[in-house]
Amino acid sequence: MKNYLTRLLSEKGIPMDHSFLIPSDSPFGNHLIPMDVVIEFISCLDLETQLQIKWRLVKIDFNNGDILHFLEYLCKGMVQLKFPQG
């Protein structure tokens, strides 16, 4: 999965040093998540979830969508897993 994600980002011209800024009202403030952390997170998920993510990225790419929007969505989920509300 890491190879696929790295190749996809390269083909789309998205730099590997891209980071996502996820706003938060938590005591920890905003979250800055580097692309390599996102790739590592996805690669550590179970195979079925990885395949679902890959399928979604392929679909977004096929429709000329912005894959960064989906990756940012995943980042928001990562933050919620680490810092649950309530």
Side-chain angles (χ1 to χ4, degrees), residues 12-31:
K12 293 294 170 189
I14 300 169
M16 286 300 293
D17 63 351
H18 180 85
S19 293
F20 296 93
L21 180 62
I22 307 301
S24 174
D25 56 358
S26 78
F28 301 101
N30 295 334
H31 305 278

Side-chain angles (χ1 to χ4, degrees), residues 43-81:
S43 298
C44 290
L45 296 171
D46 62 275
L47 183 59
E48 182 179 337
T49 304
Q50 287 183 36
L51 292 174
Q52 289 175 356
I53 290 170
K54 183 176 181 179
W55 178 85
R56 178 63 62 189
L57 288 168
V58 167
K59 187 174 179 181
I60 291 168
D61 186 31
F62 180 78
N63 290 305
N64 295 318
D66 186 353
I67 63 169
L68 285 178
H69 287 214
F70 180 65
L71 294 175
E72 181 176 355
Y73 171 78
L74 292 178
C75 287
K76 290 177 182 177
M78 290 169 57
V79 168
Q80 288 178 351
L81 283 173

